[in-house]
Amino acid sequence: MSSRTSSSSIGIFGDACLRRAHVAAAYLLIWLVPLLSLLYRGRAMADGGMEAGGQQLLAFSSVLGVFLTLVASYAAVLRNFNFAFDRVAAPFYGSLPIRRRPLFRSLLLASLVPLLLANLVLALLLLVLGGMAAIGPMDVLVWFAEQGLMCVTFCGIASLCMVVSGRASVATTLFCMVNGYVAVVQWGVRQVVSILAPSVVDGSFPSLAWASPAVYLVRSLSSFQSGRVPWRVLLAYALVGVVCTVVATELSARRDLERAGDAFAFRPVHEVASVLFALAAGLGVSLVILALFVDFVAGSPLVVGAVVVASCALVYCVAEAGVGGGITALRGRKAGLAVTVAVSAAFAVCCATDAMGVVRYVPSVDDVKSVSVNNPSLTFESREGISQVVGLHKSLVASGATNLADGSSDYNTVDIAYTLRDGTLIRREYAIDLSSKSLSDKESMGSVFRSFLQSAAASDAACSMLRRSLIEDTSATDVSLDYCPSSDAITWHSESIPVTDYKALEAALEQDVRAHGAWAVSGLQGSDDAAFAASLSVGATMPGTYDYQVLTFTLSESRTPNTVKWLKQRYQVAFIKASETS
């Protein structure tokens, strides 16, 4: 009796589920640890009157779930498709009287369904025990939906990586690249730009984290702590997983079974993946080399570019020799090497010439939500204040300023951090010469910076910080007075100002700031002949954040006369001139 090719694979599905059940079991047991901890801590918080405690912890658990689901999904798919990498097993599965597409779908479902069942068991556990930790049925439903959608996403991506690969190591590399490649490369690009343009701390690059599912899911799910579930993101990635599954199903029917054991099952995938891997890994190697010699290569585009190009080319050759079985494999890989060198060289040229405009970029006032200037620490949220900072930034860019100083104590490193309305953070760092010679030149950046600090907007920002820290909320405020007691003293004295004196101190400080501007907080003793060997620091944690801001006043007869007078009367201290210290 002749055999027929079947389109039914229920038996294979059931057998694969039973044989690979240990993956889902391990996934369930690992999940139990954070969930039981969640229930215990949630109960304690609920007993303390915090009804939303369990829900907040469940949100944190959802972020942790990205990593568990990522690993479990890939492990399940790998266990069911590992035959595709064996030169003996692959032809055997291909000879079974069942079509390849149904076979592929059965094995993929055998990877996904056990994970969904494990999530269902955990959800039922949360429904039964969650009440004592203030975890309601809706919270459990949200968690179950999140984990289910992520399982669909990662299983779909993993299945495509399996089909196009001929080795498990290559499939693993591709899976990691799909889930984090863009985020890693974008970070590396920022580091190279910061070496070539030291003033750029965080560039103005558009965020492409969405192209790295695992990274973007972690960021998106963290917003759940604010009560916002990123359903669009979860559904979009689940759709990506479904598309990957459809593509993988079709490719599985066209896959050459004899390619099992080779690096890749499809030549076009080999060409693209090799170049992408070489560019990312080469960028990482170049950053390690440049970090060792950063003091010598900073600001040198020719050296940095040569290191990047050479590293990418070297990684490409090593990778191809590794997957191809020796250096002779490079003979047929000249086209890929040429593309790698061309792309890395183009990137180096763009960075060296600032073709992307990162160094010259100054955000529009309308696009800025708030901006902070460090040294001194001032935060601007009004349109007038933001406009003042943008004007200062434009002047710094026009002057070609960087954050490289000559080591002189008269240089002040100024950090400008913008928070745009879309949430993007942009930071720049510049070294400004505040020596007497620079300040005497009205066109110098020192004079421009002094004018900025003497503006009404800067004074308002300094006074606002003082009022907030010393009057409105003193719980996270620390005020200290540091001074040199005598001209021959080796160490300075330090005293903490008590909370009871904050209000009077704030009045004296605000008078000085209103009279002399935020220039009184510039902190440079050498630029003021009347400066004392003494400073007053007001530090506080900003409300709603973990940012700690400090305003340090260099006490002076010319800039802070009211504060000096109040301190002398209140604490009976005597200050000596900075010029009199040894």
Side-chain angles (χ1 to χ4, degrees):
M1 181 176 180
S2 61
S3 61
R4 293 186 304 168
T5 302
S6 173
S7 297
S8 175
S9 54
I10 298 178
I12 293 179
F13 167 77
D15 182 69
C17 285
L18 293 176
R19 288 177 177 272
R20 310 305 184 211
H22 59 279
V23 176
Y27 171 76
L28 187 150
L29 292 175
I30 294 174
W31 249 121
L32 281 176
V33 175
L35 288 183
L36 290 177
S37 174
L38 177 145
L39 292 171
Y40 175 77
R41 294 172 60 190
R43 179 180 181 182
M45 296 177 72
D47 292 342
M50 300 176 63
E51 295 183 359
Q55 299 173 19
Q56 294 174 357
L57 290 173
L58 186 59
F60 171 78
S61 181
S62 295
V63 177
L64 178 64
V66 175
F67 298 101
L68 291 180
T69 307
L70 177 77
V71 175
S73 298
Y74 181 75
V77 175
L78 177 62
R79 293 293 294 164
N80 279 315
F81 286 94
N82 59 358
F83 72 89
F85 310 134
D86 191 303
R87 294 186 184 276
V88 176
F92 170 76
Y93 272 82
S95 65
L96 293 176
I98 182 173
R99 298 185 186 278
R100 290 195 191 181
R101 291 182 180 86
L103 174 64
F104 179 87
R105 286 192 291 266
S106 298
L107 293 176
L108 180 59
L109 288 174
S111 305
L112 177 61
V113 170
L115 295 179
L116 296 179
L117 291 177
N119 287 331
L120 180 60
V121 172
L122 294 170
L124 293 175
L125 177 65
L126 287 173
L127 282 175
V128 174
L129 303 178
M132 63 182 183
I135 300 176
M138 185 56 65
D139 301 318
V140 178
L141 181 61
V142 168
W143 177 87
F144 181 72
E146 285 180 358
Q147 304 309 314
L149 290 173
M150 286 192 291
C151 285
V152 172
T153 300
F154 295 130
C155 284
I157 295 174
S159 67
L160 182 58
C161 294
M162 298 295 163
V163 171
V164 300
S165 304
R167 300 177 189 171
S169 58
V170 175
T172 304
T173 302
L174 288 179
F175 186 72
C176 294
M177 288 176 63
V178 171
N179 282 288
Y181 183 87
V182 174
V184 171
V185 169
Q186 193 168 34
W187 176 84
V189 169
R190 286 194 177 100
Q191 304 311 307
V192 173
V193 171
S194 66
I195 293 175
L196 289 173
S199 62
V200 178
V201 181
D202 279 324
S204 56
F205 309 97
S207 177
L208 299 175
W210 55 267
S212 299
V215 176
Y216 197 71
L217 278 171
V218 170
R219 294 181 182 179
S220 300
L221 286 172
S222 62
S223 65
F224 183 77
Q225 298 175 2
S226 305
R228 299 185 303 272
V229 182
W231 291 118
R232 290 184 179 179
V233 175
L234 290 167
L235 291 171
Y237 281 133
L239 181 59
V240 170
V242 172
V243 172
C244 288
T245 300
V246 173
V247 174
T249 303
E250 292 301 315
L251 290 178
S252 67
R254 303 171 183 271
R255 176 186 168 116
D256 187 354
L257 298 178
E258 284 71 24
R259 298 301 296 269
D262 293 346
F264 295 89
F266 298 91
R267 186 174 181 83
V269 177
H270 186 179
E271 300 289 349
V272 176
S274 297
V275 173
L276 292 177
F277 175 81
L279 292 173
L283 189 60
V285 172
S286 65
L287 286 175
V288 173
I289 297 174
L290 294 173
L292 297 175
F293 306 98
V294 64
D295 294 335
F296 303 99
V297 302
S300 177
L302 183 60
V303 176
V304 173
V307 171
V308 171
V309 174
S311 299
C312 292
L314 177 62
V315 168
Y316 182 87
C317 293
V318 172
E320 285 300 318
V323 300
I327 196 170
T328 55
L330 296 177
R331 294 175 181 175
R333 311 299 304 155
K334 294 179 181 178
L337 178 60
V339 172
T340 302
V341 172
V343 173
S344 58
F347 164 71
V349 171
C350 289
C351 291
T353 59
D354 192 29
M356 296 177 287
V358 176
V359 178
R360 302 187 304 273
Y361 176 75
V362 179
S364 170
V365 175
D366 296 330
D367 295 335
V368 180
K369 179 181 179 182
S370 65
V371 57
S372 298
V373 178
N374 192 32
N375 226 4
S377 298
L378 302 173
T379 300
F380 301 84
E381 295 181 345
S382 66
R383 183 177 179 83
E384 179 185 357
I386 295 173
S387 179
Q388 289 282 347
V389 178
V390 169
L392 172 66
H393 190 183
K394 288 181 178 179
S395 299
L396 289 166
V397 171
S399 68
T402 68
N403 68 345
L404 301 177
D406 60 5
S408 170
S409 60
D410 290 333
Y411 272 87
N412 187 36
T413 301
V414 178
D415 185 281
I416 302 176
Y418 296 96
T419 300
L420 302 187
R421 297 191 182 278
D422 62 359
T424 304
L425 176 66
I426 296 175
R427 287 183 58 202
R428 298 291 186 270
E429 192 176 82
Y430 300 96
I432 300 177
D433 183 7
L434 296 181
S435 63
S436 300
K437 180 180 179 181
S438 175
L439 295 176
S440 62
D441 182 3
K442 295 182 179 181
E443 303 298 326
S444 69
M445 281 311 307
S447 296
V448 173
F449 184 62
R450 178 173 59 183
S451 299
F452 163 74
L453 291 179
Q454 291 176 335
S455 66
S459 298
D460 290 341
C463 291
S464 175
M465 191 272 190
L466 291 173
R467 284 194 299 272
R468 182 172 57 247
S469 305
L470 298 177
I471 297 180
E472 298 173 3
D473 183 10
T474 61
S475 59
T477 302
D478 178 51
V479 183
S480 62
L481 171 65
D482 301 280
Y483 63 95
C484 183
S486 62
S487 59
D488 58 349
I490 299 178
T491 59
W492 284 33
H493 285 185
S494 181
E495 297 183 13
S496 295
I497 305 298
V499 179
T500 53
D501 289 341
Y502 282 2
K503 186 174 182 179
L505 175 61
E506 192 278 334
L509 287 171
E510 185 165 350
Q511 286 181 2
D512 290 330
V513 172
R514 292 299 182 188
H516 304 281
W519 178 247
V521 204
S522 62
L524 287 178
Q525 299 173 354
S527 61
D528 185 1
D529 295 334
F532 292 113
S535 63
L536 182 73
S537 299
V538 180
T541 302
M542 295 297 97
T545 68
Y546 295 101
D547 295 335
Y548 188 77
Q549 290 189 350
V550 181
L551 287 181
T552 300
F553 294 81
T554 298
L555 300 181
S556 166
E557 290 180 344
S558 60
R559 290 191 230 165
T560 58
N562 295 290
T563 305
V564 169
K565 180 180 179 181
W566 182 84
L567 289 171
K568 287 182 176 180
Q569 292 177 348
R570 182 71 179 84
Y571 297 103
Q572 305 299 315
V573 293
F575 302 123
I576 63 173
K577 295 288 184 66
S579 57
E580 298 175 4
T581 58
S582 55

